[in-house]
Amino acid sequence: MPTPAVVDRFAPSPTGYLHVGGARTALFNWLLARHTGGRFLLRIEDTDLARSTEQAMLQLLEDLRWLGLQWDNADLVFQSRRLDVYNRLIDDLIARGLAYKAYDTTEELDAMRKEAEKARRQFVYRRGPVSAEEAARHEAQGRVPVVRFIMPVQEYRFTDEVLGEIALPADEADHFVIRKSDGMPTYHFAVVVDDAEMGITHVLRGQEHTKNTFRHIALQEALGYARPAYAHLTTIQNPDGSKMGKRDRDKAVRQRAQEWLKSSKKAPAELASLAKVLEERVATWLADSKKQLDIPEQLAVIHVIGLSSAELPEILIHDFRKNGYLPEALLNFLALLGWSPGGDRERMSMGEMVQLFSLDRVGKSNPKFDRAKLLAFNTEAAAAAPIERLVNAFRDYLSVNPESPLNNADDAALAKLLQMKKGFRLLREVDEASRFLFTPDEQIVYAPDAVEKVLRKQNGFAVLKDLRGILVSLHEWTAGELDAAVKQYAEQKGLGLGKVAQPLRVAVSGTTISPPIFESLEFLGRERTLARIDRCLALE
RNA sequence: GGCCCCGUCGUCUAGAGGCCUAGGACACGGCCCUUUCAAGGCCGCGACACGGGUUCGAAUCCCGUCGGGGUCACCA
């Protein structure tokens, strides 16, 4: 029984990095298209000239590629390049008396809104066109008009594939803006025109657009377009119930920024200039904990105050990549935020998700983003992945963490590290736990508490000296031989393995935590192991 | 505040009137394994927001209350 093919799309505005909410929207669109054998298209909604950037657009594409959500249109649609199309249509609407130029200033609009608020009702703009003389007077004053669409006053209704039947009372119909005074179309207009021209059959988007749909329907009717199916997705929230990507992260940045200002005795203005962010933005942000920085601003500030993104709650897709998550695990987790295949099914490959996906199993209530569960998914995905996959993923991780010394390792070495550390949760853990193997011997830093506890208090120096003697003349430098020799020694001395392994661990890594010790020693080699033991012994 | 949507363990969810003494996963607690950190194994704790109906029977249907989210831009 074939399901009718769909054409859907992901249409981000390039104002920042892709975040989990956007990724989830993209994923659902992708799954729906793949499930039905349809097409998944990508469109760039760059009509906001002030906030759209080329860099953000490129990053968006890279994040999508990393996730593996490949789009089917080789030529991306950029709204900013389609002005003539929109303008022709808008002029036509004006000619047909369905739209008109409006000259209100921001101040006038604000005053009207205030009035509505005072009267405790919703602000609905429905002024209608001004006379030719009035228009001429405004033009003479240099006022640049917007174009407003006359949304017919009637009740609107549509059936949302997720939420069900939704209606808008007639008195909410307003004359909304379709062309801004800078000449760009608004979101409402561009989205309707492009969806129609691209042959979009299904629009899956965030819940914040639910009510916009009525405007889009009115526009479709005026323009003679078919109405696509709509599905509005829930909002992913932080554990505290606020919108994902908002408060959570901002809170952490704010706290560190304040510490930084205090300890460096710098003024907010200096922070702003170092971060190349508007001084006023930083000042009002610092002064009001309800205010938040935009993501690009946030990134700039983080950089200045020396906060690494690994320390922040991840919200951007790029954060997850940089911290060493597997995209397939992230996607599996994200899919379950608002969708369920039913029954007990949770862990799925991309192929399985494609096969099982359906809109009627998409939920209506807002999920909270639970990092612990994501971590568990990642751990399991990593444990189940073939080694070649993990090496690839590790390479990718390292490419966005260029400061890691593991960038010097070859694939065989990476595979070895991955195997040593199996059971790991994040690639970042493998990286950090293995760095000591790539650090020059003389740069190993001995953690004071480790030295105190393991070497001084527990007689570790004496053990190390004995061990050194044994290791120098070991026939074969393999984990197996090392294991056997050290265990034999421990037995002879009547010591638990811990009393013997820990001093070794501290000697070669500087800390009490490392991958399994004998494999680590094998990896390091005899010469370097002995050099480190000697260097450690010198601490006594 | 107006309008729209939502409400099952701490979290993500299964559940489409009797299969429910409500299932799974993560988290949490305990035990086991163990050279560190993990991973793993076993056991356990834990929810139908509240109040009215409808029905022989309600987590499932209806109404109300409360709670949460969205939206009211020349941003998307």
Side-chain angles (χ1 to χ4, degrees):
Chain A
M1 186 183 62
T3 322
V6 317
V7 180
D8 61 20
R9 44 62 168 190
F10 180 53
S13 65
T15 55
Y17 286 43
L18 183 63
H19 54 87
V20 287
R24 195 263 238 122
T25 301
L27 171 63
F28 281 26
N29 274 287
W30 185 88
L31 285 172
L32 181 65
R34 293 287 173 269
H35 176 79
T36 56
R39 284 160 54 77
F40 168 68
L41 308 178
L42 184 58
R43 179 173 76 220
I44 306 298
E45 308 218 321
D46 52 355
T47 54
D48 183 347
L49 266 11
R51 298 203 303 149
S52 300
T53 68
E54 163 108 15
Q55 207 255 328
M57 189 272 292
L58 293 173
Q59 183 66 47
L60 223 37
L61 300 189
E62 187 171 344
D63 290 340
L64 244 20
R65 276 196 208 99
W66 179 73
L67 288 170
L69 302 179
Q70 192 52 54
W71 52 96
D72 299 321
N73 50 327
D75 293 317
L76 299 185
V77 177
F78 288 86
Q79 295 187 324
S80 61
R81 300 179 193 165
R82 291 171 44 75
L83 282 194
D84 51 333
V85 175
Y86 307 127
N87 281 332
R88 210 165 45 233
L89 259 9
I90 289 172
D91 292 343
D92 187 51
L93 285 176
I94 296 175
R96 290 162 61 202
L98 300 179
Y100 61 90
K101 293 182 181 175
Y103 293 84
D104 316 83
T105 62
T106 312
E107 293 71 36
E108 287 166 352
L109 254 12
D110 283 347
M112 288 188 262
R113 285 193 193 99
K114 279 232 176 70
E115 208 179 306
E117 196 179 332
K118 220 187 281 172
R120 299 187 129 213
R121 51 182 172 71
Q122 179 169 212
F123 171 58
V124 177
Y125 185 104
R126 241 186 254 158
R127 273 191 138 174
V130 296
S131 66
E133 300 78 59
E134 205 175 326
R137 208 174 59 239
H138 286 138
E139 302 263 358
Q141 285 174 350
R143 286 198 190 186
V144 184
V146 298
V147 176
R148 287 179 181 269
F149 173 70
I150 302 173
M151 184 173 175
V153 178
Q154 63 183 61
E155 195 196 62
Y156 291 85
R157 228 168 241 295
F158 74 98
T159 304
D160 191 288
E161 301 290 316
V162 170
L163 302 172
E165 178 111 338
I166 302 181
L168 182 82
D171 60 4
E172 283 202 46
D174 69 342
H175 299 177
F176 58 91
V177 176
I178 55 176
R179 182 163 69 203
K180 302 183 268 186
S181 57
D182 66 1
M184 300 299 278
T186 58
Y187 163 75
H188 305 298
F189 195 77
V191 95
V192 164
V193 172
D194 292 345
D195 281 346
E197 292 199 4
M198 291 165 76
I200 300 300
T201 62
H202 291 248
V203 175
L204 315 205
R205 63 202 339 180
Q207 211 172 48
E208 68 271 21
H209 291 302
T210 311
K211 278 185 110 176
N212 289 336
T213 305
F214 299 110
R215 291 178 162 181
H216 301 169
I217 287 171
L219 236 20
Q220 282 153 4
E221 284 169 3
L223 262 10
Y225 295 148
R227 184 193 296 186
Y230 284 99
H232 290 92
L233 274 20
T234 52
T235 310
I236 301 177
Q237 300 180 324
N238 287 317
D240 70 0
S242 61
K243 191 171 172 179
M244 180 83 186
K246 292 282 175 89
R247 227 167 296 171
D248 214 22
R249 194 167 218 258
D250 199 75
K251 217 192 287 173
V253 178
R254 176 185 304 277
Q255 191 189 344
R256 182 64 80 90
Q258 267 148 0
E259 288 165 14
W260 181 87
L261 288 169
K262 211 169 178 184
S263 65
S264 67
K265 300 205 168 65
K266 289 209 164 61
E270 285 178 85
L271 174 57
S273 83
L274 284 168
K276 299 194 176 69
V277 171
L278 289 179
E279 190 179 321
E280 190 203 315
R281 290 280 302 161
V282 172
T284 56
W285 172 66
L286 283 168
D288 181 356
S289 65
K290 288 206 186 71
K291 292 255 171 21
Q292 294 175 7
L293 293 179
D294 290 341
I295 285 169
E297 293 172 331
Q298 200 176 67
L299 255 21
V301 167
I302 285 168
H303 187 69
V304 172
I305 61 181
L307 187 61
S308 100
S309 55
E311 299 175 73
L312 289 174
E314 306 99 341
I315 115 109
L316 306 176
I317 294 309
H318 188 72
D319 298 335
F320 292 100
R321 183 182 185 189
K322 207 168 149 69
N323 283 346
Y325 287 83
L326 262 16
E328 55 269 37
L330 215 208
L331 254 10
N332 188 173
F333 174 76
L334 245 26
L336 262 13
L337 249 32
W339 172 71
S340 160
D344 292 345
R345 202 79 189 272
E346 276 206 332
R347 311 304 148 102
M348 289 166 283
S349 67
M350 294 296 279
E352 291 168 325
M353 287 194 276
V354 166
Q355 199 173 68
L356 295 166
F357 188 78
S358 78
L359 278 182
D360 56 18
R361 298 202 56 90
V362 172
K364 304 185 191 185
S365 54
N366 295 337
K368 294 189 177 69
F369 192 92
D370 181 4
R371 287 191 178 76
K373 182 149 180 166
L374 203 214
L375 257 187
F377 270 51
N378 201 68
T379 308
E380 278 184 40
I387 188 67
E388 307 80 57
R389 165 70 192 120
L390 290 180
V391 170
N392 280 342
F394 208 6
R395 271 283 164 238
D396 176 76
Y397 160 87
L398 290 169
S399 76
V400 291
N401 288 282
E403 78 293 348
S404 171
L406 302 222
N407 274 292
N408 298 320
D410 60 21
D411 283 0
L414 291 187
K416 185 88 194 135
L417 299 176
L418 254 359
Q419 263 152 357
M420 264 190 225
K421 201 50 190 131
K422 68 172 182 283
F424 68 88
R425 299 173 80 76
L426 298 174
L427 291 167
R428 173 172 293 282
E429 286 171 18
V430 184
D431 173 21
E432 288 176 352
S434 307
R435 288 191 185 189
F436 77 97
L437 296 169
F438 293 81
T439 308
D441 300 337
E442 65 281 5
Q443 282 175 30
I444 294 292
V445 178
Y446 294 99
D449 52 338
V451 172
E452 186 58 30
K453 183 177 172 214
V454 177
L455 298 179
R456 291 194 210 287
K457 282 198 178 147
Q458 297 178 6
N459 205 26
F461 283 120
V463 171
L464 264 188
K465 270 180 227 161
D466 292 345
L467 250 19
R468 192 194 190 287
I470 295 169
L471 298 184
V472 198
S473 50
L474 199 68
H475 329 290
E476 248 188 290
W477 194 261
T478 62
E481 287 290 310
L482 285 157
D483 189 321
V486 173
K487 276 191 180 140
Q488 193 192 358
Y489 166 79
E491 221 163 283
Q492 261 171 24
K493 290 277 177 177
L495 291 170
L497 241 198
K499 290 275 188 290
V500 182
Q502 283 304 79
L504 264 178
R505 200 183 305 276
V506 173
V508 298
S509 76
T511 70
T512 52
I513 299 173
S514 86
I517 188 63
F518 302 119
E519 291 173 68
S520 298
L521 295 186
E522 179 184 313
F523 190 96
L524 252 192
R526 190 192 313 252
E527 206 176 311
R528 300 187 67 193
T529 300
L530 294 177
R532 288 182 189 200
I533 291 176
D534 290 338
R535 199 167 155 257
C536 184
L537 250 14
L539 294 172
E540 192 178 3

